[in-house]
Amino acid sequence: MKHQTSSDWIARSLRSVWHPCTQMQHHEEVPLIAVSRAKGPWLYDHENKRYLDAISSWWVNLFGHANPRINAALKDQLDTLEHAMLAGFTHEPVIELSEQLAALTGHALGHAFYASDGASAVEIAMKMSFHAWRNAGFSDKQEFVCLQGSYHGETVGALSVTDVPLFKDAYGPLLRAAHVVASPDARNALEGESAQDVARRAIADVERLFEERANKIAAIIVEPLVQCATGMAMHDPLYLELLRELCDRHQVHLIADEIAVGCGRTGTFFACEQAAIWPDFLCLSKGISGGYLPLSLVLTTDAIYQSFYSEDITRGFLHSHSYTGNALACRAALATLQIFRDDDVLNRNRELATKLTIALAPLAEHERTKAFRQRGMIFAFDAVEPDAARAASFARRFFTTAVENELLLRPIGRTVYLMPPYVLDEEEIDLLGSRVKSVFESVMAA
């Protein structure tokens, strides 16, 4: 069989694959990268060129590609059970994963309900909230609230509580309107304000809405600590603490979308831990399987679970996915949690985050950047580019230049962010710091 080059694979892909989150015509100018293999934080193409995966392949990879421990767990599971329907059946991996996740919340949350992707988890949480209120006799509570700049997925329900016009506007006629409240983004600080001051101002906006419409509102959904897709907008944990109090006072459910920010990304396993609160629903996906297989889930309270528990089938939660609780995906997640325990990952990540912050310090102090920010293993800064045309093309130019410098980085607008796997060594940290600076200066000078 003839050897296939990267160019061959790219041509075949462009003829047959419709790639996500992409205007396909742009690939006439920005070529695809055909990945042949991967190891640790590195991706390799068919000519063995390497690219440091500094965004964890859309925020999913935690412990490097082809991780030997996750590989071994999956190989073992493959010889035992690959999948069985979860309606009327159960299996060891899904039971053990559900138990371990509940334990990580101190059993404040549990009763894990499984799906495959983040948007599906958000849909589940929204439906559960609506249905729980109906079962409790509050059928008027049908409205949802989201934050300015929020992103929760691109299925119809999840998109209804997303506030990113680029993703949402084309599908407006399909969507149910949600209330949008102020973001606690610390970059919104006025002269002399702290991040906590911004959080209090944003909470005041929620309070006004709740006082007016709480009897109609089922839930508010938030991305705890970091609103990722709007440009890594970070907020103080005080916001979550105050929001939990408001939700309790006004009988509104709190949905925490930890799809991107869970699994240690913000410095604690669950982002909500930093505010010492638990939501009514917690959505997980992305990193929970170590970046190996599609898996998402919703954890909820015993009270909400009991509101569905009845002889009446119409009071049950009849949502389903064919691959719910897939045994292979659950086994990958169990291996991921085992690595957290064995390697004391959260403490190690604190050291890693400090080293990365030091390596990125020249960019934090750069005259063409602003708002350098860091929360756990998420780092971001904004490019100062007053020219509108150049600003509009910044992300694409940065991505292309980064690839030429062995980096996979995909800015959001003018926000450059890093969300690397938790396995970088000293050399890779130094390389990442120096190369990002070099790429940034090259793009800004061009």
Side-chain angles (χ1 to χ4, degrees), residues 141 143-147 178-182 201-221 239 243 246 250 252:
K141 291 174 78 68
E143 298 174 4
F144 291 88
V145 184
C146 64
L147 274 58
H179 301 284
V180 180
V181 293
R201 274 201 291 114
I203 279 294
D205 196 37
V206 181
E207 186 169 23
R208 283 189 290 270
L209 176 64
F210 281 9
E211 287 175 349
E212 179 185 342
R213 297 197 64 81
N215 63 326
K216 301 288 187 183
I217 294 171
I220 182 170
I221 183 168
Y239 181 80
L243 184 60
L246 269 185
H250 291 278
V252 173

Side-chain angles (χ1 to χ4, degrees), residues 290-324:
Y292 268 67
L293 288 164
L295 181 67
S296 67
L297 59 102
V298 178
L299 299 172
T300 191
T301 65
D302 189 60
I304 287 171
Y305 176 79
Q306 289 299 328
S307 74
F308 289 88
Y309 203 81
S310 170
E311 291 183 359
D312 182 355
I313 192 171
T314 66
R315 291 176 64 89
F317 190 64
L318 305 183
H319 189 98
S320 64
H321 292 267
S322 299
Y323 282 93
T324 290

Side-chain angles (χ1 to χ4, degrees), residues 103-285:
L104 285 171
T105 72
H107 298 282
L109 302 173
H111 304 290
F113 196 101
Y114 290 86
S116 57
D117 58 88
S120 295
V122 169
E123 299 271 347
I124 288 165
M126 292 174 68
K127 287 177 66 177
M128 278 184 176
S129 174
F130 166 83
H131 200 162
W133 286 123
R134 189 181 75 170
N135 283 349
F138 298 96
S139 56
D140 286 345
K141 291 174 78 68
Q142 301 179 10
E143 298 174 4
F144 291 88
V145 184
C146 64
L147 274 58
Q148 184 179 23
S150 60
Y151 176 89
H152 299 288
E154 294 168 47
T155 50
V156 170
L159 200 55
S160 294
V161 288
T162 287
D163 186 48
V164 180
L166 180 64
F167 299 133
K168 186 173 183 175
D169 284 358
Y171 310 103
L174 302 178
L175 307 179
R176 185 172 180 174
H179 301 284
V180 180
V181 293
S183 168
D185 181 355
R187 292 175 297 178
N188 294 334
L190 303 174
E191 184 78 28
E193 276 192 329
S194 67
Q196 289 199 343
D197 293 329
V198 179
R200 289 188 181 93
R201 274 201 291 114
I203 279 294
D205 196 37
V206 181
E207 186 169 23
R208 283 189 290 270
L209 176 64
F210 281 9
E211 287 175 349
E212 179 185 342
R213 297 197 64 81
N215 63 326
K216 301 288 187 183
I217 294 171
I220 182 170
I221 183 168
V222 300
E223 301 160 84
L225 302 184
V226 186
Q227 293 179 256
C228 294
T230 196
M232 301 300 159
M234 300 184 184
H235 59 259
D236 193 275
L238 177 66
Y239 181 80
L240 301 175
E241 180 184 340
L242 298 176
L243 184 60
R244 178 70 274 180
E245 293 173 2
L246 269 185
C247 288
D248 290 341
R249 190 190 320 155
H250 291 278
Q251 289 191 293
V252 173
H253 288 149
L254 174 57
I255 302 173
D257 176 352
E258 295 220 11
I259 291 160
V261 299
C263 302
R265 286 292 182 193
T266 66
T268 46
F269 190 83
F270 298 111
C272 284
E273 293 178 68
Q274 295 181 47
I277 63 104
W278 294 112
D280 300 289
F281 304 92
L282 192 149
C283 304
L284 281 182
S285 189

Side-chain angles (χ1 to χ4, degrees), residues 336-350:
T336 297
L337 294 182
Q338 188 65 49
I339 293 172
F340 270 98
R341 292 191 293 271
D342 290 348
D343 294 3
D344 194 16
V345 168
L346 295 176
N347 281 325
R348 183 184 180 277
N349 277 1
R350 292 184 185 102

